[in-house]
Amino acid sequence: MVHGVGVGGGSLVYAAVLLEPQAAFYRDPAWAALDDWQASLAAHYQRARQMLGVADNPYQGQQDHWLQRTATALGVAQSYAPVPQGIYFGPPQALPDPYFAGRGPQRSGCNRCGSCISGCPQGAKNSLDLNYLYLARQLGVQVFSETRVSHISRQGAGYRVHLRGRTHALRSLDAPQVILAAGVLGSLEILFASRDRYRTLPHLPAALGEHVRTNSEAIVAIRGQPGVDISQGTTISSHFHADAQTHITQNRFPRSYNFMRLYMGPLVDDTRPLRRAAKVVGALLRRPWHWLGHWFTADWYRRISVLTVMQQADNQLAFGYQLRAWRLGGFCPGVTPVGRRRLAYLPVAGQPGGAYLCRGQWRRGAECPAGKPGQSRGDGASAGRRGDRRFAGGGCGGCAAPGLRPPGAVCDRRQQHPGQRWRQPEPDHRRPGRASDQPVAGAAVGLTRLSPRHGLPSWCA
């Protein structure tokens, strides 16, 4: 799972695509009975659009034209569109704040450098350090950079957050309530450490780390012919829906992503991991010089077009917190994937790659003018019970309610086994009942709140 840290979180390195969910999301049985979510969240989506400066991408390049022809070839031309993004598409020179009546920082418009996923050196992407965090600092909020939260403990009626900094000694902060917004990996690491290593929150549920979901994506790449430059534009600028479950975007990479060429391999199809891995090895042996040239092409980032093929299938990961020998007996600083994985192979992924490559003429393995197909080697060459792996981003969940329960229910802390009694969370995601730091349904909004009154979130839609 791809992740990173910084003041601004994932907004620093995401592609700034801000889609609103389709109707099926609001009707999901995991939470549909709690509220009319489409009506309840409408005002909040509107507020987020304003704060993040969402606008449709006005620039269309060669990659976008190829993607549009791909949608047409697959019979879904009507679903193709530019993506809505949190990017300032104004003039490239520095101008006064265009979003918050002059209270925000100066902004420069997008120069189409393709570096959205490496920090946006132009400053056009509306990352959180340029809106929410910037305005919060004006109101007196302190932001501690280069500081790591090791764990959280109870302190009287509230909590103590234990910090470790690169330039200062160990210290702590006390608060009546704490919100964890460190992403799935960061938040789970803090909760695991608090429960299992420091034992300062020993009553966190056994289900911690279960039911982590990602974009369920396959990465399909097409390398253009020598001399082609398709790198100008935002990282993602257009998309389409191949069917009700499959969403496809194109991706440009900046120069700093040249290392990704080493992750790519032949595009193969097979539902069985071992047989799929054998096909990858066979393809490499048949054309070794071709793939060596691919991995060592200096202008790879200029010629590559990457399709992310994402599905809404209910695929899940389970994460744990384990001792590692290379840590000299200490706990691994990150969470480790454990347990069963589902549907690591997406058979639909190769089809748009072929149609994109051949400009509407779907011919498996054909030589086509647009370039050469490939995919993530993790997608193609992984094999075995614990080897069926892929790259993924956009994780959510990890604080799932344990045991068997009706959709949306949250179990009491003393009832952590199948067949137990259950409690229905309130519509505002609070757990009813006595004060504790036990599960509530809160991670559906991507945050984890610790409150002596309301407790910890436990599931993610």
Side-chain angles (χ1 to χ4, degrees):
M1 183 178 293
V2 181
H3 73 289
V5 294
V7 177
S11 73
L12 299 176
V13 291
Y14 83 135
V17 177
L18 296 167
L19 302 174
E20 291 190 30
Q22 297 180 343
F25 166 78
Y26 300 106
R27 297 194 301 265
D28 191 286
W31 70 340
L34 298 179
D35 200 358
D36 180 354
W37 291 111
Q38 190 160 9
S40 296
L41 295 176
H44 301 291
Y45 276 116
Q46 176 59 35
R47 179 64 169 170
R49 284 195 297 268
Q50 175 192 354
M51 292 296 297
L52 298 175
V54 177
D56 288 342
N57 192 310
Y59 303 124
Q60 296 283 286
Q62 185 61 61
Q63 287 199 33
D64 305 291
H65 300 320
W66 286 343
L67 193 71
Q68 186 173 20
R69 285 198 286 268
T70 300
T72 301
L74 297 176
V76 288
Q78 74 286 351
S79 70
Y80 171 86
V83 292
Q85 292 184 292
I87 294 177
Y88 177 48
F89 291 112
Q93 65 270 21
L95 294 173
D97 162 52
Y99 294 113
F100 309 112
R103 293 183 293 118
Q106 283 191 334
R107 303 302 304 279
S108 300
C110 177
N111 63 354
R112 292 174 281 177
C113 66
S115 297
C116 308
I117 53 176
S118 58
C120 187
Q122 174 74 356
K125 188 168 67 169
N126 298 327
S127 51
L128 299 187
D129 55 313
L130 299 178
N131 40 66
Y132 282 102
L133 293 178
Y134 186 91
L135 297 176
R137 280 171 159 157
Q138 291 184 341
L139 297 175
V141 172
Q142 289 183 278
V143 178
F144 300 96
S145 61
E146 299 184 341
T147 302
R148 184 183 185 87
V149 175
S150 61
H151 64 290
I152 298 170
S153 62
R154 293 298 298 266
Q155 178 67 20
Y159 291 90
R160 174 163 291 175
V161 181
H162 299 265
L163 308 176
R164 298 180 184 274
R166 295 179 58 186
T167 59
H168 54 71
L170 180 68
R171 59 177 176 173
S172 61
L173 297 173
D174 295 342
Q177 296 187 20
V178 176
I179 294 176
L180 296 181
V184 171
L185 297 185
S187 296
L188 284 180
E189 181 184 343
I190 294 170
L191 295 176
F192 275 126
S194 302
R195 187 190 68 182
D196 300 338
R197 181 179 183 183
Y198 298 98
R199 302 187 184 281
T200 51
L201 295 177
H203 299 299
L204 292 177
L208 184 67
E210 295 182 2
H211 305 294
V212 176
R213 293 173 172 88
T214 72
N215 286 344
S216 298
E217 62 194 355
I219 299 175
V220 181
I222 298 92
R223 180 166 60 107
Q225 302 292 351
V228 169
D229 185 354
I230 52 177
S231 62
Q232 291 298 306
T234 58
T235 296
I236 297 175
S237 50
S238 57
H239 66 148
F240 72 91
H241 289 83
D243 54 45
Q245 298 292 327
T246 308
H247 178 227
I248 300 172
T249 66
Q250 49 66 236
N251 295 256
R252 300 172 181 87
F253 283 164
R255 181 190 295 271
S256 60
Y257 265 62
N258 252 353
F259 72 91
M260 285 290 292
R261 59 190 171 178
L262 301 177
Y263 287 80
M264 306 310 295
L267 177 63
V268 301
D269 276 331
D270 205 295
T271 57
R272 297 184 180 182
L274 282 172
R275 206 160 61 186
R276 192 167 70 244
K279 288 185 177 182
V280 170
V281 173
L284 292 173
L285 293 177
R286 284 193 299 271
R287 303 185 66 189
W289 298 115
H290 166 79
W291 288 105
L292 285 173
H294 174 85
W295 294 328
F296 294 99
T297 299
D299 62 346
W300 182 85
Y301 79 98
R302 296 182 185 276
R303 297 166 55 186
I304 200 72
S305 179
V306 174
L307 305 183
T308 42
V309 183
M310 299 162 281
Q311 290 194 325
Q312 297 180 31
D314 189 14
N315 308 327
Q316 300 177 17
L317 298 172
F319 280 64
Y321 191 70
Q322 302 175 356
L323 285 167
R324 292 300 185 190
W326 61 81
R327 295 282 296 170
L328 302 178
F331 281 95
C332 180
V335 291
T336 303
V338 298
R340 185 176 65 175
R341 300 171 178 82
R342 304 184 201 167
L343 194 63
Y345 169 68
L346 300 182
V348 73
Q351 186 175 358
Y356 185 93
L357 174 70
C358 298
R359 303 190 187 189
Q361 301 174 27
W362 173 225
R363 304 193 309 256
R364 173 67 64 185
E367 293 294 332
C368 304
K372 310 290 185 181
Q375 67 178 359
S376 157
R377 284 190 287 167
D379 293 353
S382 58
R385 186 179 67 86
R386 297 183 58 79
D388 205 3
R389 305 173 183 227
R390 65 172 61 255
F391 298 107
C396 70
C399 298
L404 299 176
R405 67 209 187 281
V410 178
C411 300
D412 186 88
R413 67 177 177 137
R414 294 170 296 181
Q415 304 163 343
Q416 297 179 351
H417 301 285
Q420 60 201 244
R421 291 185 297 121
W422 57 274
R423 297 186 177 193
Q424 186 76 11
E426 298 172 4
D428 62 357
H429 296 205
R430 298 177 179 180
R431 175 188 182 276
R434 66 190 186 291
S436 70
D437 50 297
Q438 297 310 310
V440 296
V445 292
L447 300 174
T448 298
R449 176 174 62 181
L450 286 82
S451 165
R453 178 184 174 192
H454 300 132
L456 289 172
S458 63
W459 62 281
C460 179

